[in-house]
Amino acid sequence: MPSIDDFAREKLAGLDARGLKRALVPARRMDGIRLARGGRALLSFSCNDYLNLSQDPRVRGAAKAAIDAHGAGACASRLVTGDHPLLGALEDGLAAFKGAQAACVFGSGFLANAGVVPALMGKADLILLDELAHASIWSGARLSGALVLNFRHNDTDDLAALLRARRAAHARCLIASEGVFSMDGDLAPVDELAGLSRAHDAWLMIDDAHGLGVINGGRGARAKGAVPLQIGTLSKALGSYGGYLCASAPVIDLIKTRARTLIYSTGLPPASAAAALAALEILTSDSALVEKPLANARLFTRLMGLPEAASAIVPVIIGDERRAMALSAALEEDGFLVGAIRPPTVPAGTSRLRVTFCAAHEEDDIRRLAGALQRRLQALAA
Ligand SMILES: *Cc1c(COP(=O)(O)O)cnc(C)c1O
């Protein structure tokens, strides 16, 4: 056996040789869309803070007031003494907003997925995941011990075939997908997924991390029939930190009794809960704000001649890892922060720039980015 340090060095060298080593770069936020990174000021097209509420004075003020009233941390698991009153208020607000009976707030969206799926599914069960479903849904599915199969991205025929072939051999069945796909920006066919789940006696879970605050007037993903398990995060359009499940009252009661990531983890800090609650109030009342991220993304796709954006996320597929990294570095020289996304976050050969749009971007910002990207793409092709 190699020493643990040699193991780490060799593993990193291998990843580096394939252009897959990752590095953290400190970034100091200047406002909703500008940050200082590597000694320069950059206009960010990489943030998930779609409504820029993380910087809103009302949201910041609510977080500060919550610290003064309740302290910096929750001090214990919610099931011990960490269930401060802001969590109940936030859950009521989320449930009302999502049209569900009840809600449960978690320490993060990752923890919500990692806790909810294993609380509902076990060894005798079947989980069918969209192949592009977020890593946290995969993690929850694996932890459950159920058989996990994936269906081709947004392909309801493939899902229907899997259900016909495999459903009958299992006790319970869960279908899981994302409302807005985090690296592709496209939408799941939620109505069809809901129809298939009813037809084949399966439960449907939709993770709407990137839909809330952006699509359907800010309400996020919805179906004609109800979606029984609505997962989301407080960390994107709500500008705070934390995750949630909205569902029926009995399901939420079961989750609060059984989800290990809730029971064995400290409650969400008061400041995060208060910030999310203040952000939810703004999101609910300011329809002009909520329209902006999608309108901005659509201006960009028009300027670039790309298919019309369906969400605030626009992928520009490059293919090769190193070319995607080089393009991102070139745009940084031009003053824009646009993240390059590589495997294993996306399938091999589909490395891309992931461009995200916020409410605070102005038309001129978007025209300048499109111009710079077109010049850099031409230089790369030459
Ligand atoms: C970001 C994201 C998560 C994780 O949420 P956090 O609150 O950041 O942990 C889960 N699911 C999807 C689809 C996401 O995009």
Side-chain angles (χ1 to χ4, degrees):
M1 190 163 90
S3 79
I4 192 165
D5 293 349
D6 286 344
F7 166 76
R9 280 190 206 100
E10 271 164 39
K11 186 107 186 166
L12 281 173
L15 289 168
D16 200 16
R18 287 151 58 209
L20 295 178
K21 190 171 171 209
R22 301 176 182 223
L24 296 168
V25 183
R28 191 174 51 80
R29 200 159 279 286
M30 292 149 74
D31 64 17
I33 51 174
R34 264 163 281 268
L35 43 84
R37 209 172 100 127
R40 66 192 331 155
L42 298 171
L43 183 59
S44 173
F45 287 92
S46 289
C47 297
N48 300 322
D49 181 19
Y50 300 115
L51 303 174
N52 307 108
L53 292 176
S54 74
Q55 307 299 317
D56 186 284
R58 293 163 288 181
V59 175
R60 293 161 68 136
K64 287 178 199 162
I67 290 177
D68 289 340
H70 302 283
C75 306
S77 163
R78 293 182 62 187
L79 284 130
V80 182
T81 57
D83 198 41
H84 56 82
L86 290 167
L87 294 174
L90 177 57
E91 288 173 343
D92 290 347
L94 288 166
F97 186 68
K98 280 298 200 173
Q101 278 178 349
C104 178
V105 170
F106 288 81
S108 74
F110 199 115
L111 288 173
N113 278 321
V116 168
V117 179
L120 298 172
M121 308 302 284
K123 284 199 172 57
D125 303 328
L126 173 66
I127 301 178
L128 298 171
L129 295 185
D130 186 288
E131 63 184 342
L132 298 187
H134 192 262
S136 56
I137 310 177
W138 282 97
S139 297
R142 294 236 176 84
L143 281 172
S144 76
L147 174 67
V148 186
L149 300 174
N150 61 319
F151 56 93
R152 282 196 293 276
H153 176 51
N154 277 349
D155 187 337
T156 46
D157 291 338
D158 193 38
L159 173 60
L162 276 172
L163 283 162
R164 281 193 301 272
R166 311 296 290 259
R167 168 71 188 93
H170 297 272
R172 298 184 294 269
C173 177
L174 176 72
I175 299 170
S177 189
E178 293 184 35
V180 172
F181 282 84
S182 55
M183 297 298 137
D184 294 75
D186 57 344
L187 313 184
V190 184
D191 280 332
E192 285 89 334
L193 295 177
L196 279 172
S197 73
R198 279 191 297 275
H200 291 270
D201 192 26
W203 299 329
L204 177 63
M205 182 174 111
I206 297 291
D207 180 342
D208 200 28
H210 296 275
L212 182 84
V214 177
I215 63 167
N216 291 326
R219 301 264 146 191
R222 333 179 251 234
K224 283 194 208 87
V227 175
L229 300 164
Q230 305 185 72
I231 292 267
T233 177
L234 311 175
S235 329
K236 286 163 184 162
L238 290 172
S240 179
Y241 196 72
Y244 66 84
L245 169 70
C246 289
S248 68
V251 170
I252 294 299
D253 282 348
L254 176 65
I255 292 298
K256 287 183 174 169
T257 301
R258 296 291 294 185
R260 295 169 68 85
T261 58
L262 182 84
I263 300 170
Y264 299 107
S265 188
T266 301
L268 190 66
S272 302
L277 195 52
L280 188 62
E281 270 158 32
I282 297 169
L283 198 167
T284 312
S285 58
D286 191 345
S287 56
L289 178 74
V290 162
E291 281 168 15
K292 281 187 189 156
L294 187 55
N296 284 341
R298 288 188 167 156
L299 170 60
F300 178 75
T301 50
R302 265 201 308 284
L303 291 170
M304 293 296 296
L306 292 167
E308 183 177 65
S311 70
I313 302 164
V314 178
V316 180
I317 308 288
I318 306 300
D320 178 71
E321 286 77 62
R322 285 201 189 71
R323 292 189 110 190
M325 295 298 283
L327 206 49
S328 171
L331 286 173
E332 194 161 330
E333 274 169 33
D334 296 338
F336 301 104
L337 184 60
V338 180
I341 310 288
R342 293 169 285 170
T345 310
V346 294
T350 72
S351 287
R352 68 197 62 188
L353 297 179
R354 174 178 180 268
V355 195
T356 60
F357 294 88
C358 297
H361 287 129
E362 287 174 13
E363 182 173 333
D364 181 56
D365 298 330
I366 296 160
R367 289 187 183 279
R368 285 191 302 115
L369 172 69
L373 180 54
Q374 272 156 348
R375 277 191 299 280
R376 293 297 188 173
L377 282 168
Q378 272 155 19
L380 204 66

